Amino acid sequence: MVGFKATDVPPTATVKFLGAGTAACIADLITFPLDTAKVRLQIQGERQGPVQAAASAQYRGVLGTILTMVRTEGPRSLYKGLVAGLQRQMSFASIRIGLYDSVKQFYTKGSEHAGIGSHLLAGSTTGALAVAVAQPTDVVKVRFQAHAQAGGGRRYQSTTEAYKTIAREEGFRGLWKGTSPNVARNAVVNCAELVTYDLIKDTLLKANLMTGSCPPFSDWVPGTW
């Protein structure tokens, strides 16, 4: 763009889309064992009564769950469903975060002064749309994470087979199980995260607290301040 330095050119929607997805994938690689432990703790005792579940609890606490899985199923069990997890982040975060600015500009028709209503509408839209698109990847990810392989075989041999098996045995709608509550949750989460960030950032910029007007390093010489 003529008249702009390389650092002044605003990123395109494509750059934001890919950047958000890539960053989310990196975060998922680091935190995936914690997510797996969360799923195991959530489903523990699902088919038992409260007394039996408390007495026979296999997993106790996050660290205890991770150590138990490593001991009984091997270290790789902590990353079961990782492929589907990365697919989810690449689609989910790319839409939820990467398209937020573009959707906000659509609602405000490019106006520089967007009201809080436009922010909330954009956050709700991208949050809900992200879930609608990425829900099948979330379903498959959780199925892999929830399946304890110790003492039994693998239900799905690959991520692709998992998609096909769920669609064949449970119908195409089976890939979108839990979509409604997930849409509601992520619409709220997206508003709470992105809209709050956006409003705080705008406030700081208007108060000239983030103008980027720091003098160059060569001017920081004793006696010249």
Side-chain angles (χ1 to χ4, degrees), residues 13-111:
T14 301
V15 171
K16 292 178 181 178
F17 185 89
L18 294 177
T22 302
C25 285
I26 294 173
D28 211 33
L29 282 169
I30 298 171
T31 62
F32 203 80
L34 296 175
D35 189 41
T36 302
K38 178 207 71 172
V39 171
R40 290 292 180 92
L41 286 168
Q42 286 178 322
I43 66 170
Q44 183 168 236
E46 179 185 6
R47 297 182 180 180
Q48 299 174 323
V51 177
Q52 295 90 338
S56 62
Q58 181 182 9
Y59 308 117
R60 297 183 185 278
V62 176
L63 182 59
T65 301
I66 291 175
L67 293 176
T68 299
M69 290 182 64
V70 171
R71 185 176 65 254
T72 59
E73 303 174 54
R76 295 181 62 181
S77 65
L78 297 174
Y79 285 90
K80 290 169 67 174
L82 178 62
V83 174
L86 295 178
Q87 292 173 348
R88 175 184 181 273
Q89 292 295 355
M90 201 64 206
S91 54
F92 178 74
S94 295
I95 296 174
R96 183 177 77 89
I97 301 174
L99 295 184
Y100 171 74
D101 284 335
S102 298
V103 173
K104 183 179 67 175
Q105 290 174 4
F106 171 78
Y107 283 132
T108 61
K109 297 179 173 56
S111 173

Side-chain angles (χ1 to χ4, degrees), residues 116-203:
I116 188 171
S118 299
H119 287 82
L120 292 172
L121 193 57
S124 299
T125 299
T126 56
L129 181 60
V131 171
V133 172
Q135 186 67 12
T137 62
D138 197 26
V139 170
V140 171
K141 175 184 77 75
V142 172
R143 294 283 181 95
F144 272 104
Q145 290 175 315
H147 180 63
Q149 192 174 336
R154 299 173 61 181
R155 182 178 181 186
Y156 308 116
Q157 299 302 315
S158 68
T159 303
T160 301
E161 184 194 355
Y163 288 118
K164 293 179 180 178
T165 302
I166 293 172
R168 182 177 63 252
E169 296 180 354
E170 305 173 40
F172 195 67
R173 295 178 62 180
L175 291 168
W176 271 269
K177 284 184 176 179
T179 299
S180 296
N182 216 8
V183 164
R185 174 184 177 273
N186 280 283
V188 174
V189 167
N190 218 37
C191 288
E193 291 181 353
L194 296 186
V195 175
T196 301
Y197 163 80
D198 217 6
L199 293 175
I200 292 175
K201 182 186 71 174
D202 288 345
T203 301

